[in-house]
Amino acid sequence: MMKAKDAKVSSLESKVAQLEEEVQNEKLKVLEMQYFSLENNDDALAYYDHLDMDDPSRYIADKLLETNENEGDNPLVPYEGMESDFKINKIKVLNHKWILTDFSDGKYWGELLIKYELKDDMGVDFTTLDHLLYTRSN
């Protein structure tokens, strides 16, 4: 009976060690994915020190989402929606100059590389640098 319990404990300890290693590997993956993000880039964040902002990424993303409020397609998307209007969905603020987004009309989707400038008056100018629209394969 004791041998069976010891074997079970040993098996569980081995499983815990394996899971801890997997968690550590996932943490490293997350850190790698966060490399290109404004919130983890002290050099880029320094550009906004004088503005006394708590979360520049959130502010910029919110301003970008406001461009969806226009009637019709988002003005930054250089395509006409086919199923409905193209609107920006996901936003990744890469640094103090660039944003990566995706957009969709509910059926078709694509991505934008956007240049932005956050001005001292808290206004934000956006310029689409490049874009792509995925083709449907079905």
Side-chain angles (χ1 to χ4, degrees):
M1 175 110 162
M2 197 62 161
K3 264 188 175 177
K5 285 185 178 179
D6 288 345
K8 181 75 171 172
V9 167
S10 179
S11 172
L12 290 173
E13 286 174 342
S14 174
K15 183 68 174 173
V16 166
Q18 176 189 356
L19 291 172
E20 286 174 343
E21 184 177 336
E22 288 177 20
V23 166
Q24 186 62 31
N25 288 338
E26 292 303 315
K27 285 181 180 178
L28 291 173
K29 286 181 185 177
V30 168
L31 287 173
E32 184 68 25
M33 289 188 304
Q34 290 177 338
Y35 181 79
F36 288 107
S37 66
L38 178 59
E39 55 270 353
N40 293 316
N41 185 334
D42 290 337
D43 294 327
L45 283 171
Y47 281 82
Y48 304 128
D49 283 345
H50 68 287
L51 296 177
D52 193 33
M53 299 178 75
D54 289 333
D55 190 350
S57 290
R58 181 78 262 150
Y59 181 81
I60 293 158
D62 287 347
K63 288 293 192 183
L64 183 56
L65 285 173
E66 287 177 10
T67 64
N68 279 341
E69 295 174 4
N70 296 331
E71 186 149 335
D73 293 312
N74 184 299
L76 296 166
V77 178
Y79 304 103
E80 289 185 23
M82 293 164 264
E83 294 295 311
S84 65
D85 298 328
F86 275 130
K87 300 293 183 182
I88 290 175
N89 299 310
K90 293 185 181 177
I91 299 169
K92 176 72 172 177
V93 181
L94 299 173
N95 55 32
H96 65 291
K97 289 290 176 192
W98 301 320
I99 300 170
L100 186 62
T101 72
D102 86 331
F103 61 90
S104 175
D105 67 358
K107 183 174 181 181
Y108 299 93
W109 67 96
E111 296 172 358
L112 302 172
L113 179 61
I114 297 172
K115 179 181 176 181
Y116 76 95
E117 180 184 2
L118 175 58
K119 297 184 264 183
D120 289 343
D121 67 1
M122 302 299 283
V124 185
D125 291 334
F126 298 106
T127 306
T128 301
L129 294 178
D130 208 354
H131 51 85
L132 65 91
L133 183 63
Y134 289 103
T135 58
R136 295 191 58 87
S137 58
N138 47 350

